[in-house]
Amino acid sequence: MEKEQDTLSTEIVNRGIQDSGPYAGSLSFSVRVRRGLPDFLNTVNLKYVKLGYAYLLSHSIYFFTAPFVIFIFSFVLGKLTWKDFYPKCDHLDAVFLCGMLGLILYLYLDSTPRSTYLVDFACFRPPDELKISREEFIELARKSGKFGDAAIEFQQQALKNSGIGDESYMPRVVFRPGQGITLKDGREEAATVMFGAVDDLLAATKIKTKDIKVLVVNCGILNPTPSLSAMVINHYKLRHNISSFNLGGMGCAAGVIAIDLAKDLLNAYPGSYALVVSTEAVTYTWYTGNDPDMLLANSFFRMGAAAMLLSSCRLDRWRSKYELKQLVRTHKGMDNRSFKSVHLKEDRQGRQGLSVSKDVIEVAGHALKANITTLGPLVLPVSEQVHFFTNLLFKKKSKKPYIPDYKLAFEHVCLLATSKMVLNELQKNLELTDEYMEASRKTLERFGNTSSSSIWYELAYLEANSRIKKGDRIWQIAFGSGFKCNSVVWKALRSVGKPERSPWIQESV
C-alpha cells in the first residue's frame, strides 16, 4: 500500500459556488487524486540490465579484435630485421608485402562500424508577429467562438501551470472563427518552419544540396500527399536518387528515431551526408471541442522545427561538432495502457484531437525506467557499475538497492520540454540538479513544447551560453506516443562557441 501511495499526488480543485442543494451559495471543493511518476529508480528489472550489456558486447568485439591483430603483427615483425628482408626479397616483394598489409588494414577498417558525426544543426525561430502571450492565447481562443466557458477556463489554468512564458509562437490561423483548419494551412506551417531550419543549416555548414544522400523527415500528425520529405526534395532540388523517408504518427520521440534511421542508412552508404528534419504542425494538433483530455495539446504545443546534418565520412570528424556515442530506444506498445495513453481520436461531436490520458506520467515513468536501465551499462563508469552490482547481489532484503549516479555519465541533460509538472517529476526521480534542468526549463518557457524538435532547442541553448566544452557528453531524452522513450548520447568533439545563428540569439536590427 505504501508503494502505491508513493505514486499518487493530490490536487484540491475549486468547484465554485453551488447553485442548488443543501449547500447552495457555498464554495465547493474536491480532492483530485492522480498518479505521479513512479519511484522507478528503486526497482530494477534485470531484463533491461542484461539488454544493455548485450548492446555493449555486440559493439565491443571490434575493440577487442584490434589489439589482438596489432599484437600478432608486432610479434611476427618484431623477430624480423632488415637483413632478413634485404637478401631474400627484391623491391617487388617489398611492394607486395606492403600491399598485403594495406589490404588487411583496409578490410579491418571497412568491417568496423563507422562513427556517425553531427556536423551541425539549426533550429527555426518563427517571426515575431507569431509570438503569443498566455493572455492573448485565451483572448483569441474566446473570440474564435469554438470553446465553451469551461474549456476556456481549463486552457487558462493549464497555461498558468504549464511553465510556458509569453514569447512562444502560434499560427494565428487556428483561432480563425467560423472556419476549420485546411490541408493548405498545415502545409504552409510545415513549409515555414522546415525550410527556415534547413536554410539556417545550409548557411552554417556551406554544404551543397547535391551532396546529401539521405533525407529523413518526421512529423507526427500532418502526413500529406506528396509527403513532407517530398516537399523538402522539391524545394531544394535534391538529387534524384536520394534515399528519402517520411516518419509519421510516432509522436515527440520521432526525432531520435529519425537520427537512428539516418545512422543506419549512413552505414549502408559510407562517406555520405544525411539531412534530418524534425517538426510538428500545430495547426493539425489543434482541437476545437470541450473534452479536457484533448484540450491539453492546445495549451502545450507550439511552432518549431530543427534540421540536423549527419555524416559518416571519417574526414568530417574534424569539422563536426558532435559524435554519436549511444542510442537506445524503448517501446512499451505491448501494454494496452501505454498504447492508449496518447492517441489521436474524435470526440462525440466528431472533432479530431490529440487525447492525453491521466495515466501518461506513470506510463512515461515506466518507459523511462526501462530505457535508462538499458542505457546504464553503456554509459556509466565501471566503478558505478561494480558498486551497483555488488549492492544488488549482496544487499539485505530490507535495504533499497544502490542507485547509480547518472550525473557521472553526462555533463548535460536535455529532457523533452513537455510541461513544468513533468520536468519537476523527472528532476526529482533522476536526482538532477537545477543546472542540469536549466536548458529544458528555459526552452519550455521560451518556445513551449515544440515536440520532437524540443531537445534540439535545448542543445542550442547550451551552445548559445557557451556551455559545451570538448569531451562533454550530452544526453537527450524524448518521449512519444506508443508509448516510447528514446535516448541519444553525443560527445562534443570540440568546445563549441556561441554560434552565429541561433534561435536564442536576437539579431541586431
Side-chain angles (χ1 to χ4, degrees), residues 402-432:
Y402 173 73
I403 307 306
D405 187 359
Y406 282 86
K407 295 188 293 294
L408 297 175
F410 310 106
E411 282 71 39
H412 310 282
V413 177
C414 298
L415 295 165
L416 184 73
T418 50
S419 70
K420 181 180 179 180
M421 183 181 70
V422 171
L423 292 180
N424 288 343
E425 291 283 345
L426 291 173
Q427 179 179 11
K428 180 179 69 175
N429 280 271
L430 288 174
E431 299 178 353
L432 298 175

Side-chain angles (χ1 to χ4, degrees), residues 25-26 36 89 124 136 175 197 213 260 265 273 277 301 310 313 342 372 384 453:
S26 302
C89 301
F124 177 66
E136 185 183 8
F175 299 107
K213 176 64 177 176
D260 192 21
L265 290 167
Y273 289 106
V277 183
F301 283 120
L310 304 179
C313 179
V342 179
I372 66 173
E384 278 294 293
S453 63

Side-chain angles (χ1 to χ4, degrees), residues 163-457:
I164 300 176
D166 290 327
E167 291 192 318
S168 60
Y169 302 91
M170 285 283 292
R172 293 302 192 272
V173 67
V174 299
F175 299 107
R176 185 171 54 197
Q179 189 174 348
I181 302 300
T182 66
L183 185 59
K184 179 183 177 182
D185 297 328
R187 280 183 174 275
E188 287 179 351
E189 181 194 344
T192 299
V193 296
M194 288 195 309
F195 299 160
V198 175
D199 286 345
D200 287 346
L201 179 64
L202 295 178
T205 60
K206 304 294 190 285
I207 190 72
K208 296 178 180 178
T209 55
K210 67 181 180 63
D211 294 330
I212 298 173
K213 176 64 177 176
V214 175
L215 171 66
V216 183
V217 178
N218 72 270
C219 182
I221 306 299
L222 177 63
N223 288 286
T225 301
S227 65
L228 296 179
S229 60
M231 287 173 58
V232 174
I233 293 172
N234 177 262
H235 182 79
Y236 293 99
K237 309 305 177 188
L238 301 182
R239 55 197 296 172
H240 71 277
N241 62 340
I242 191 169
S243 297
S244 66
F245 296 84
N246 198 89
L247 305 180
M250 306 191 80
C252 303
V256 179
I257 298 173
I259 294 292
D260 192 21
L261 177 58
K263 172 181 70 72
D264 291 341
L265 290 167
L266 287 177
N267 285 333
Y269 302 104
S272 302
Y273 289 106
L275 173 63
V276 177
V277 183
S278 296
T279 188
E280 186 58 78
V282 177
T283 51
Y284 264 64
T285 63
W286 189 254
Y287 171 63
T288 57
N290 297 290
D291 189 331
D293 290 344
M294 300 168 73
L295 284 168
L296 283 174
N298 288 4
S299 304
F300 295 120
F301 283 120
R302 295 294 186 269
M303 291 178 69
M308 291 68 69
L309 183 68
L310 304 179
S311 172
S312 61
C313 179
R314 291 189 173 96
L315 293 178
D316 277 326
R317 178 183 181 89
W318 311 110
R319 63 175 298 208
S320 300
K321 287 184 174 181
Y322 306 95
E323 180 184 4
L324 178 61
K325 301 303 292 184
Q326 286 87 24
L327 195 152
V328 174
R329 294 166 53 185
T330 302
H331 206 302
K332 287 287 188 177
M334 72 294 293
D335 173 61
N336 284 334
R337 197 158 64 111
S338 298
F339 176 74
K340 297 178 180 178
S341 59
V342 179
H343 64 286
L344 191 67
K345 71 173 188 179
E346 295 176 341
D347 63 12
R348 295 178 180 178
Q349 286 73 39
R351 290 170 293 201
Q352 181 177 283
L354 196 63
S355 174
V356 181
S357 166
K358 63 180 182 297
D359 298 324
V360 69
I361 295 182
E362 183 186 5
V363 164
H366 290 300
L368 179 60
K369 179 181 73 172
N371 187 267
I372 66 173
T373 306
T374 303
L375 181 67
L378 303 175
V379 297
L380 287 170
V382 175
S383 59
E384 278 294 293
Q385 298 188 45
V386 171
H387 198 172
F388 166 72
F389 273 107
T390 302
N391 185 274
L392 185 66
L393 294 174
F394 300 107
K395 73 179 181 67
K396 297 180 181 179
K397 292 183 178 179
S398 59
K399 186 179 178 182
K400 289 184 177 181
Y402 173 73
I403 307 306
D405 187 359
Y406 282 86
K407 295 188 293 294
L408 297 175
F410 310 106
E411 282 71 39
H412 310 282
V413 177
C414 298
L415 295 165
L416 184 73
T418 50
S419 70
K420 181 180 179 180
M421 183 181 70
V422 171
L423 292 180
N424 288 343
E425 291 283 345
L426 291 173
Q427 179 179 11
K428 180 179 69 175
N429 280 271
L430 288 174
E431 299 178 353
L432 298 175
T433 63
D434 289 340
E435 184 179 359
Y436 277 94
M437 298 297 299
E438 183 178 336
S440 299
R441 294 192 187 282
K442 291 292 185 180
T443 298
L444 179 64
E445 179 184 2
R446 176 63 178 85
F447 293 98
N449 182 354
T450 59
S451 189
S452 57
S453 63
S454 176
I455 54 177
W456 296 104
Y457 283 87

Side-chain angles (χ1 to χ4, degrees), residues 41-199:
L41 287 181
N42 284 327
T43 58
V44 178
N45 191 327
L46 291 180
K47 175 178 69 173
Y48 298 111
V49 177
K50 290 164 61 179
L51 182 60
Y53 280 105
Y55 288 153
L56 181 64
L57 292 175
S58 65
H59 289 83
S60 299
I61 184 171
Y62 303 100
F63 298 101
F64 289 115
T65 305
F68 179 75
V69 172
I70 294 172
F71 173 77
I72 293 297
F73 273 100
S74 300
F75 181 77
V76 173
L77 295 178
K79 290 184 175 182
L80 301 176
T81 64
W82 175 249
K83 293 181 179 179
D84 296 322
F85 283 98
Y86 185 75
K88 301 175 184 179
C89 301
D90 56 19
H91 294 294
L92 185 63
D93 293 331
V95 172
F96 176 76
L97 179 61
C98 292
M100 285 297 296
L101 292 175
L103 178 61
I104 293 172
L105 180 62
Y106 170 78
L107 291 175
Y108 174 76
L109 292 175
D110 189 62
S111 64
T112 55
R114 287 174 174 262
S115 294
T116 300
Y117 303 108
L118 176 61
V119 180
D120 208 342
F121 70 97
C123 299
F124 177 66
R125 186 176 66 194
D128 287 346
E129 57 263 26
L130 295 181
K131 279 185 181 180
I132 189 167
S133 65
R134 288 170 293 183
E135 182 179 350
E136 185 183 8
F137 181 102
I138 296 302
E139 180 183 353
L140 291 175
R142 183 177 285 110
K143 289 181 178 179
S144 70
K146 299 175 181 178
F147 306 101
D149 292 339
I152 293 292
E153 184 178 353
F154 179 89
Q155 291 178 89
Q156 188 171 21
Q157 189 65 25
L159 280 172
K160 181 180 178 182
N161 299 324
S162 66
I164 300 176
D166 290 327
E167 291 192 318
S168 60
Y169 302 91
M170 285 283 292
R172 293 302 192 272
V173 67
V174 299
F175 299 107
R176 185 171 54 197
Q179 189 174 348
I181 302 300
T182 66
L183 185 59
K184 179 183 177 182
D185 297 328
R187 280 183 174 275
E188 287 179 351
E189 181 194 344
T192 299
V193 296
M194 288 195 309
F195 299 160
V198 175
D199 286 345

